[in-house]
Each structure stands twice: as C-alpha cells, then as structure tokens.
Amino acid sequence: MTAPLTLLGIESSCDDTAAAVLRDDGGPQILSSIVSGQTDLHAAFGGVVPEIAARAHAERLDLVVAQALEQAETALDKIDAIAVTAGPGLIGGVLSGVMAAKGLAFALNKPLIGVNHLAGHALTPRLTDALAYPYLMLLVSGGHCQFLRVDGHDAFTRLGGTIDDAPGEAFDKVARILGLPQPGGPAVEAEAARGDPTRFALPRPLLDRPGADLSFSGLKTAVLRSRDAVVAEKSGLTDQDRADLCAGFQAAVRDVLAEKSRRALTGQGDLTGFAVAGGVAANQTLRDALKQVAADAGLPFIAPPMALCTDNAAMIAYAGLEAFRDGHRDGMDLAARPRWPLDRTSPALIGSGKKGAKA
Ligand code: KG4
Ligand code: ZN
C-alpha cells in the first residue's frame, strides 16, 4: 500500500493558465481543476501572441493556484509535491509557470517535478480510465498531432506525426478562409453537418506514402483553391457552397486520421487500447471514425471528457504523480524548455505552429 499523496499541478505552456489539486489514495482523484483561458486576449490577432500570453500567465498564476486550493478545500501546507509543465510550449508562458512552482516549492520546502506537457496529455487515459500500459495515443489539437506508443510514464515512442500543420490549425484556417468564427473546429463541424462531403474532390495527403506521418497544410490550400474557383464562377459563396467545402474538408481529415491510425496500430503487439486527446477529438465525425478503427483492431477506444482532453493542470499533476512515485525529483535548476520531444530517439518534428513548437 502506497502512502496517500496530494499534488498541486501548474500549466501555462500555451494560452490557458491552469492549476489543479490531485489526490492519490489508492487511485487518483481530481479535487479541483481551474483553467483560465486567454481566447479573448488573442482574438483580435488571429493567433496566440506569445508576449501577451506570458504576461497573462504571470498575472493569473497566483490566482488560479489560490482557486484550485480553495475548491479542493485544502491549503498549501497540505500539498506533498508541486508538478509544473516545464515544456514544450511558448517559452515565456512555460517560464512563468516554472518560476511560480519553484517559488512555492522553495518556500514550502516541498519536492518539485517538471512535467512534459505532452506526457500530461498522453497519460490522461490512465487518470480517467486507469488504462494499463502499453497503449496507443493520438494527440490531435491546435498545436499537436502525433501517434505515441505509451509503455510507461517516461517511455514513449512516436510512431508518426504531422510534418506541417496540426489538424486544429487546419480547421481554424479553413474557418478563416470561409469567413467562419474562431476557433474554427466547432464552426466547421456545424457547417459540415449539412454539407455534401463528395462535391469537392479534396486530397488525402500522405496516404500514398507508407507510415503514419501526416500533413494538413496542402489540404487547407486545396480548400482555398476550391473556394476561389467557386467565387470566380459565381462571384460569391452560397451557404451550401460553404457547407459542402466544410464537409469535404472534414471528410478528408477523417479519412487521413483513420487510415494513419490503422497503420500506427499495426504490428504493435498486445496494446490495451487506443486513446485520443486534444481539442480536435471533440469532433463527432472524427471520433466515430477513430472508434471504428479501434473496434476493427479489437481494442477499447478511450476519449477522456473534453475538459481533460484540452489543456488543463490535472493532467500535469497526474503525470507528476507517476514520476514522483517512480522517484523523480527536480531541483531549483529545473529548466523551461520550448522544445522537449517525448521520444528521445525519433528525430524532432520540423516547424512550429501558431501555438508554439510542436516538439
Ligand atoms: O487542445 P486544444 O483546446 O488546444 C491546443 O491546441 O492546445 O485544441 C484547440 C483546437 C482548435 O484548433 C480548435 O479549432 C480545435 O481544437 N477544435 C476542433 C473542434 N473543437 C475544437 N476541431 C474540430 N472539430 C471540433 N469540434
Ligand atoms: Zn496541449
């Protein structure tokens, strides 16, 4: 029987300032999870502005930590360890979180654990569903897109990833191209529901190449070209044109994600499940397709609740908990890292998205 533990988690790697209290007493329990989003601050700029994000994190961290403690009905002196996102992400934001966590750890004389943000996402199915290792994880958000084989809290193998945009970025750009509001994902999904996915012949990028790498930049450009062709012909877009373009785009993303998932699952031996996380996993059409892929492979499909699929600090506290139980501790020299690949053996992915490095 392991001793009960209470961890404070802190997350500030992108545009959400978050803190959470996690209790582990025979199983993890989220006592509180506070997320303060910054969408309003960045809305006018069409993307996350790193300087604005860093300042907002620095201003809000104390407050979200206080809220998390209050909601958990606990106090700092009851916290056994502090877990903080130490990368990858926008460096100013990561630094704000790491400095806040160091301050708390030093003042309270409590252990500090630096957590990889992607590990937080990748371990979430263990927090929500107690999923055993090894499993396959697909991270699909506005900043990430990769297949990870997860063998342990510190044992990840990247089986494929995007070579350019993340799918959420593509949804957001397609929304912009078609004059729909941001974030684009929900808007495009709503339009697609009444569209004809077969009207526009859009590409399925990289399906002709072996492996599980993905690409979404060309697909976005194809939507732009199709829109321009319609506009040139009719000097404008009808609601139906817009819906058909959204449906065609979403169907292409679905086909690519499903086929690449099938490939990532192939030859992996005895996996316990196929899990997804990230904002794009909210899309019902994509979710249904991925669920089918899991079923075809005879595996359970795990999609954590949306609040734990998107950025939050409970996942950071949980990843910190596994590392802590394994004896991991960081010192006051813990560094904030803009890039931090989970899989140390695979080459780093090229490019960097609107939400920072893709690791
Ligand atoms: O995980 P997330 O909240 O933030 C990070 O990227 O870290 O993901 C946000 C992304 C946005 O690009 C948004 O457009 C996309 O997830 N998204 C969706 C849907 N809901 C959110 N994409 C497709 N369909 C949706 N229903
Ligand atoms: Zn994230």
Side-chain angles (χ1 to χ4, degrees):
M1 193 54 202
T2 47
L5 270 179
T6 306
L7 275 90
L8 173 69
I10 295 177
E11 155 65 34
S12 57
S13 66
C14 186
D15 58 352
D16 292 302
T17 317
V21 177
L22 184 83
R23 171 101 179 135
D24 180 35
D25 189 0
Q29 193 194 350
I30 300 168
L31 299 186
S32 64
S33 181
I34 306 288
V35 179
S36 170
Q38 303 178 358
T39 311
D40 48 333
L41 297 182
H42 305 285
F45 304 97
V48 177
V49 183
E51 291 77 11
I52 294 176
R55 195 177 322 129
H57 287 306
E59 283 168 9
R60 295 176 185 191
L61 274 162
D62 285 355
L63 188 66
V64 296
V65 167
Q67 286 174 334
L69 292 168
E70 192 188 323
Q71 203 175 88
E73 295 180 15
T74 189
L76 276 177
D77 61 350
K78 302 281 191 310
I79 297 293
D80 297 306
I82 295 150
V84 62
T85 300
L90 298 171
I91 192 63
V94 181
L95 252 177
S96 302
V98 167
M99 288 195 310
K102 280 183 184 173
L104 287 171
F106 185 75
L108 301 167
N109 195 23
K110 298 284 169 151
L112 173 71
I113 305 140
V115 169
N116 185 309
H117 175 86
L118 299 170
H121 280 302
L123 299 180
T124 300
R126 292 176 55 73
L127 166 61
T128 57
D129 293 80
L131 188 63
Y133 298 122
Y135 55 89
L136 181 75
M137 179 83 207
L138 168 60
L139 283 182
V140 270
S141 72
H144 326 293
C145 183
Q146 50 185 313
F147 291 104
L148 289 166
R149 181 192 158 99
V150 187
D151 283 281
H153 78 87
D154 196 20
F156 303 94
T157 311
R158 188 162 61 76
L159 301 175
T162 183
I163 59 166
D164 41 56
D165 291 352
E169 264 179 298
F171 269 94
D172 294 342
K173 284 180 190 162
V174 163
R176 222 165 282 137
I177 288 168
L178 299 176
L180 297 169
Q182 297 293 315
V188 170
E189 181 175 19
E191 289 290 318
R194 45 181 199 83
D196 171 6
T198 61
R199 177 172 156 206
F200 294 96
L202 295 168
R204 269 61 176 158
L206 295 195
L207 278 197
D208 54 340
R209 274 200 242 161
D213 280 343
L214 309 108
S215 159
F216 295 98
S217 162
L219 179 56
K220 163 202 72 192
T221 311
V223 172
L224 178 64
R225 282 212 205 94
S226 300
R227 179 206 69 177
D228 288 349
V230 174
V231 171
E233 193 190 316
K234 309 195 232 172
S235 59
L237 280 185
T238 65
D239 284 352
Q240 196 56 50
D241 295 333
R242 195 174 287 114
D244 292 345
L245 280 165
C246 287
F249 164 75
Q250 185 175 268
V253 174
R254 176 201 62 202
D255 290 352
V256 169
L257 284 177
E259 174 56 22
K260 295 290 176 168
S261 299
R262 232 169 258 131
R263 291 186 196 174
L265 283 166
T266 304
Q268 291 301 316
D270 284 339
L271 295 174
T272 57
F274 177 34
V276 291
V280 180
N283 186 294
Q284 200 56 50
T285 300
L286 302 182
R287 230 174 152 106
D288 290 346
L290 297 172
K291 199 172 181 173
Q292 189 56 49
V293 172
D296 292 346
L299 292 174
F301 178 70
I302 296 103
M306 267 332 285
L308 293 173
C309 262
T310 54
D311 287 351
N312 67 90
M315 69 178 190
I316 302 304
Y318 180 75
L321 170 73
E322 285 213 24
F324 185 90
R325 293 272 191 218
D326 197 29
H328 181 89
R329 307 285 183 276
D330 281 298
M332 285 297 140
D333 57 349
L334 172 67
R337 303 167 62 171
R339 284 181 184 264
W340 185 359
L342 272 181
D343 177 348
R344 298 176 203 95
T345 58
S346 296
L349 289 180
I350 43 166
S352 137
K354 72 178 166 95
K355 293 190 168 183
K358 292 196 189 87

